Amino acid sequence: MNADVHASVTRIADLEDREYDVEERPQSAWETGDYVLARVTRRPAPEARLENPQGRRVELIEGETIVGALGTRRATRGFVGGWEDVGDDGQMDILTGGGVLGRATSVSAYVPTPIEIEYEGHVVIDEEVVRMRDYRIDAPQAELDTPVILVLGTSMSAGKTLSARVIIRVLIEQGYEVAGCKLTGAGTYNDALSMSVAGAESVYDFVDAGLPTTVVPEETFRESIQSVLSRIQERQADVIVAEVGASPLEPYNGAAAVDLLDDQVAFTLLCASDPYAVVGIEEAFGHSPDLVAGIATNTTAGINLVEKLTDCPALNLQNETAKGPLRHMLSDALP
């Protein structure tokens, strides 16, 4: 039995192209990252889509089966919930566009209602449950010595992905070979693909590390993400553009990701949802970013307020005129 649609979190396992069985397992045996098959039980809202392994957003219909991965999400502007919230009835929800599955316990009024599904069983190959960690990158540990442009946010949907894309293009125009990575967040493929479209030679994310989301114990996160950093180091790029999803203060291990990169960070870009959030991040971390961008800088009023409240320069990276100042800042920061 194969699913009608495989979510993008299955891309590392290539389940679309292989045979597998589906067997029920008791919830006491479930783990984060388990691949499971579920059936859509109610017609989803038209705008609710699921990414396939190639990153295409697919509209689902009632009765179709999907394969995703058990995980946990703690979105400030989306869904809260996880696989540990699933009851005995097996009712679940698709918690991310990438196919992270669990039961939603809190839903923002500003996002589409989650797609309702029902657990049918775990994906099994050779009588063994298939898990994301079975397919994670296995790279010899290497110390990172490539300069990093760190892209942070004050929240989800603050403009990090767009800003990372602009930075990558500016660096490539300057002759740098760029590697991209997204180290924390909730599993979707869109952000990694955006870096590839911008021209990054190689792009990795936490899904490559075997994690559906980074809401996991810090020790698990550090061990898993180290393999990604080692693989990136193998590529010998001139510079790495690293995005930390959500904000470092949310339970996605953002602070741990910043700590892992700290010695190599040459430039920090903070994407802010509003000017006052910049002050909050400064106070929480005790240092200022090199540049503020994102939603807070969409107008000159926002830029002026950021610069009034902080000592940080601010740019609207959606404007072509911002590329010149950004280019100079990056040139000054990099060898």
Side-chain angles (χ1 to χ4, degrees), residues 4-274:
D4 296 309
V5 179
H6 293 81
S8 66
V9 290
T10 70
R11 68 184 189 268
I12 57 174
D14 201 19
L15 292 177
E16 280 188 316
D17 300 322
R18 63 189 309 174
E19 294 294 324
Y20 53 80
D21 298 313
V22 177
E23 299 177 3
E24 290 189 43
R25 289 289 189 272
Q27 286 181 252
S28 59
W30 293 12
E31 295 182 18
T32 295
D34 288 359
Y35 285 127
V36 304
L37 183 140
R39 187 175 299 276
V40 179
T41 55
R42 180 179 296 182
R43 181 181 178 182
E47 63 271 29
R49 304 291 177 97
L50 182 70
E51 290 178 339
N52 69 9
Q54 293 74 44
R56 180 170 175 246
R57 297 178 70 242
V58 178
E59 184 177 359
L60 299 177
I61 60 177
E62 185 176 344
E64 283 189 315
T65 56
I66 64 106
V67 168
L70 298 180
T72 303
R73 191 178 184 193
R74 296 286 184 266
T76 55
R77 299 172 65 182
F79 306 143
V80 174
W83 66 266
E84 292 177 295
D85 299 304
V86 177
D88 294 336
D89 59 3
Q91 298 302 306
M92 307 170 74
D93 302 288
I94 300 178
L95 299 177
T96 74
V100 176
L101 311 182
R103 188 62 186 252
T105 59
S106 179
V107 178
S108 169
Y110 299 100
V111 296
T113 302
I115 299 172
E116 297 179 14
I117 55 177
E118 185 174 5
Y119 171 80
E120 295 215 345
H122 275 60
V123 174
V124 174
I125 296 177
D126 296 332
E127 301 183 355
E128 295 291 332
V129 169
V130 181
R131 297 185 166 100
M132 290 182 68
R133 68 168 182 259
D134 299 333
Y135 301 92
R136 70 182 183 179
I137 286 174
D138 183 17
Q141 186 164 339
E143 185 175 349
L144 192 67
D145 63 6
T146 305
V148 172
I149 307 299
L150 181 62
V151 181
L152 301 171
T154 59
S155 70
M156 64 179 290
S157 303
K160 298 181 293 297
T161 299
L162 174 62
S163 297
R165 193 168 79 201
V166 172
I167 286 174
I168 289 169
R169 285 183 173 160
V170 167
L171 290 170
I172 290 172
E173 289 170 1
Q174 292 179 280
Y176 290 98
E177 183 174 312
V178 182
C181 61
K182 182 174 180 180
L183 299 182
T184 69
T188 59
Y189 200 14
N190 177 68
D191 295 349
L193 288 175
S194 179
M195 290 183 173
S196 293
V197 168
E201 290 291 325
S202 56
V203 179
Y204 299 94
D205 68 358
F206 52 85
V207 171
D208 294 304
L211 301 175
T213 77
T214 56
V215 183
V216 294
E218 183 176 335
E219 182 180 355
T220 300
F221 170 78
R222 285 177 176 268
E223 177 189 357
S224 300
I225 217 67
Q226 183 59 55
S227 62
V228 168
L229 297 178
S230 296
R231 176 59 55 83
I232 292 173
Q233 183 59 38
E234 287 179 356
R235 301 303 186 195
Q236 293 293 305
D238 298 318
V239 59
I240 298 167
V241 176
E243 179 186 338
V244 174
S247 83
L249 301 179
E250 295 175 57
Y252 287 92
N253 279 297
V258 172
D259 181 61
L260 285 168
L261 298 173
D262 189 51
D263 291 341
Q264 294 307 123
V265 173
F267 187 89
T268 300
L269 171 70
L270 177 64
C271 293
S273 53
D274 68 79

Side-chain angles (χ1 to χ4, degrees), residues 298-315:
N298 279 351
T299 68
T300 54
I303 291 172
N304 292 339
L305 187 52
V306 168
E307 294 179 342
K308 179 179 179 180
L309 294 171
T310 72
D311 293 325
C312 304
L315 289 173

Side-chain angles (χ1 to χ4, degrees), residues 276-290:
Y276 296 98
V278 180
V279 178
I281 291 293
E282 282 188 315
E283 291 181 354
F285 280 88
H287 61 82
S288 299
D290 297 294

